[in-house]
Amino acid sequence: MSIIFSPDSLRQQVEAATGGHITVLYDDKGYPSFMRVIPKFRYEDLGLDSVRGTGVATAFLVNGQEKSELFVSQYQASLHDGRAVGLPGKDPRTSINYDTAKAACEDKGPGWHLMSMHEWAAIALWCKANGFTPRGNTNYGRAHDATHETAVRQDGGQPGVSSGTARTMTGGGPASWRHDGTAAGIADLVGNVWEWQDQFKIVDGEIFCTTDNDYTADEANWQSAGHFLTNVSGTLTLANAQGTPSEDSISSTWNDLAKASGYTESELMKRLMVSPQTETEAQGALYARTEG
């Protein structure tokens, strides 16, 4: 990853304050982003090898080449001068399509890229393995399951009031809204705004993805996973064959996602948190549209 490192006072202060868990990286225009450093881990390190196999988590593999660490933005991105930046206390950028979001990340320079499905899933699995589920803005500026946990809304509204635009400023919530329960954690992975993840798509129910975190792979070269999301009588179902496409968006509680009779599991689908497994049950739902 070719990133500009600078020994400036901001970077020194941030690293000192967080024990090196957070650093500041600069893009091609010199704009800073606060980045969480995540050292490489293996699935067996998380105690998940009985279900997800062994070896380096796919987030740390780029076209088969192992990486010693990841840099993940500590904050949801805001947009500055056409560049995505991860900074605290900002209004996160919304109403942005996939192509524009991806360009705002990649245009920052070599190595910068839109967060991938592999990275998001690896962080989620790390959280579950450590017995922690982060909360976030899931109820108009507060956590729906801990309503005393609030953050400043960008519209100035009171937490819990359904009128207005209820997203919160980046990183404004308590430590429980961060991936490791500390101030040095990745903020707002849960709730607040819809986020794009790269290297994964569904076409007429068929799942296409990269086999590892190859952020340089052209979308045309993403592989069919041989797995499908289908609409079976109004029930979202994971299957090994394509069903009848349905334009309607359907959903399922993630833990209860149906699987077709005789469904053959995929290690990659389990690693990407597509196929639910009992040892990593989680809050939330899966929404899909199986046509188009």
Side-chain angles (χ1 to χ4, degrees), residues 4-280:
I4 300 173
F5 286 86
S6 173
D8 71 319
S9 60
L10 174 62
R11 184 167 182 251
Q12 291 175 338
Q13 291 170 15
V14 169
E15 290 184 349
T18 63
H21 289 301
I22 303 295
T23 190
V24 178
L25 301 183
Y26 297 82
D27 63 20
D28 62 340
K29 290 189 174 183
Y31 301 139
S33 288
F34 286 49
M35 309 294 286
R36 171 68 187 229
V37 184
I38 302 180
K40 177 176 64 179
F41 60 78
R42 295 168 172 79
Y43 291 106
E44 56 266 37
D45 297 335
L46 304 182
L48 300 175
D49 46 301
S50 63
V51 175
R52 289 175 171 81
T54 61
V56 175
T58 57
F60 300 93
L61 297 171
V62 178
N63 195 21
Q65 182 181 356
E66 288 188 22
K67 302 295 182 180
S68 61
E69 58 195 2
L70 287 175
F71 297 96
V72 177
S73 178
Q74 189 182 17
Y75 303 105
Q76 290 174 326
S78 49
L79 207 60
H80 180 74
D81 194 15
R83 299 292 192 268
V85 293
L87 296 171
K90 301 294 184 181
D91 186 11
R93 183 68 165 88
T94 60
S95 302
I96 184 171
N97 66 30
Y98 165 80
D99 292 322
T100 304
K102 183 167 180 166
C105 296
E106 292 183 348
D107 288 350
K108 291 167 67 66
W112 292 96
H113 59 274
L114 181 66
M115 190 177 190
S116 74
M117 188 78 159
H118 294 274
E119 293 162 346
W120 196 97
I123 294 167
L125 290 172
W126 185 94
C127 291
K128 294 299 293 184
N130 282 275
F132 180 70
T133 299
R135 290 190 286 269
N137 172 21
T138 51
N139 185 241
Y140 304 102
R142 63 186 184 181
H144 76 278
D145 50 350
T147 54
H148 64 284
E149 294 183 357
T150 65
V152 174
R153 288 172 38 158
Q154 63 85 32
D155 65 356
Q158 292 298 309
V161 175
S162 60
S163 60
T165 303
R167 63 181 178 269
T168 55
M169 307 300 276
T170 55
S176 56
W177 291 17
R178 305 196 178 208
H179 90 285
D180 61 359
T182 76
I186 303 167
D188 303 321
L189 285 170
V190 173
N192 203 26
V193 299
W194 294 102
E195 297 175 334
W196 287 112
Q197 266 82 46
D198 203 4
Q199 302 177 49
F200 185 96
K201 67 179 180 179
I202 303 170
V203 181
D204 291 332
E206 185 174 8
I207 294 172
F208 291 83
C209 60
T210 53
T211 55
D212 70 13
N213 196 24
D214 185 4
Y215 55 86
T216 66
D218 187 85
E219 185 176 340
N221 295 324
W222 298 358
Q223 300 178 23
S224 170
H227 292 258
F228 300 79
L229 286 168
T230 68
N231 185 342
V232 179
S233 302
T235 300
L236 187 62
T237 303
L238 193 57
N240 296 121
Q242 192 171 42
T244 302
S246 171
E247 185 175 351
D248 294 334
S249 176
I250 52 177
S251 65
S252 169
T253 301
W254 186 75
N255 292 337
D256 300 320
L257 177 64
K259 297 178 182 179
S261 177
Y263 176 69
T264 301
E265 292 282 2
S266 157
E267 185 174 83
L268 182 59
M269 292 299 98
K270 291 185 286 189
R271 289 178 169 185
L272 292 180
M273 298 287 280
V274 175
S275 176
Q277 304 296 314
T278 55
E279 96 293 354
T280 50

